[in-house]
């Protein structure tokens, strides 16, 4: 699976951004999709995941009620809608695809369990 993330940029605190990740090369609906982020000097961390058909979602506590993950299996796309952005949200955001093994969605919140990674898109939130 090839993943291409886009939509990052510079935004003021309180603003919104919409990240998009386009997938190609394999059956998109076979994969749990997720967004992870990595700030300078920090480890990559979980942001949100979504089940193969989009019926279940999972969020990090730090983004819950501000970010929304969705997917379109017809368009092979996963979206991260971000609102109420804070300076601490500044990071490179990566989309990831995890081969579904039938586990609970929380299993895929560990970035080490992702199978494929996109190149990342930079989000910078100014105070």
């Amino acid at each position: 699976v090839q993943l291409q993330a886009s939509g990052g940029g510079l935004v003021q605190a309180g603003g919104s951004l919409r990240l998009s990740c386009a997938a190609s090369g394999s059956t998109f609906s076979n994969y749990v999709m997720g967004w992870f982020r990595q700030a300078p000097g920090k480890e990559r961390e979980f942001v949100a995941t979504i089940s193969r058909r989009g019926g279940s979602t999972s969020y990090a506590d730090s983004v819950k009620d501000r970010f929304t993950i969705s997917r379109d299996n017809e368009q092979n796309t996963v979206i991260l809608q971000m609102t109420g952005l804070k300076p601490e949200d500044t990071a490179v955001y990566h989309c990831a695809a995890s081969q579904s093994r039938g586990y609970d969605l929380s299993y895929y919140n560990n970035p080490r369990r992702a199978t494929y990674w996109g190149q990342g898109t930079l989000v910078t939130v100014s105070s």
Side-chain angles (χ1 to χ4, degrees):
V1 175
Q2 291 79 49
L3 302 172
Q4 181 73 38
S6 61
L10 174 64
V11 63
Q12 289 188 331
S16 300
L17 278 175
R18 183 176 183 268
L19 305 184
S20 179
C21 178
S24 61
S26 188
T27 304
F28 183 66
S29 59
N30 286 345
Y31 295 89
V32 170
M33 297 301 297
W35 287 95
F36 298 81
R37 67 187 182 187
Q38 188 165 17
K42 295 188 177 181
E43 292 188 353
R44 191 166 297 187
E45 65 175 8
F46 160 69
V47 175
T49 48
I50 187 166
S51 60
R52 291 191 302 148
R53 291 179 178 83
S56 296
T57 56
S58 178
Y59 295 94
D61 288 343
S62 58
V63 307
K64 200 170 294 184
D65 299 326
R66 298 189 297 122
F67 291 9
T68 302
I69 188 171
S70 61
R71 68 188 294 163
D72 183 339
N73 286 351
E74 295 293 325
Q75 299 293 326
N76 291 356
T77 302
V78 60
I79 301 295
L80 186 68
Q81 180 66 50
M82 306 185 294
T83 63
L85 283 161
K86 304 175 181 179
E88 52 263 43
D89 294 319
T90 295
V92 176
Y93 284 70
H94 299 267
C95 62
S98 302
Q99 183 72 51
S100 176
R101 292 178 171 82
Y103 297 137
D104 184 80
L105 188 60
S106 60
Y107 173 88
Y108 304 98
N109 296 353
N110 185 334
R112 292 183 176 87
R113 294 179 177 145
T115 310
Y116 301 102
W117 290 94
Q119 87 292 352
T121 185
L122 176 62
V123 172
T124 304
V125 184
S126 63
S127 57

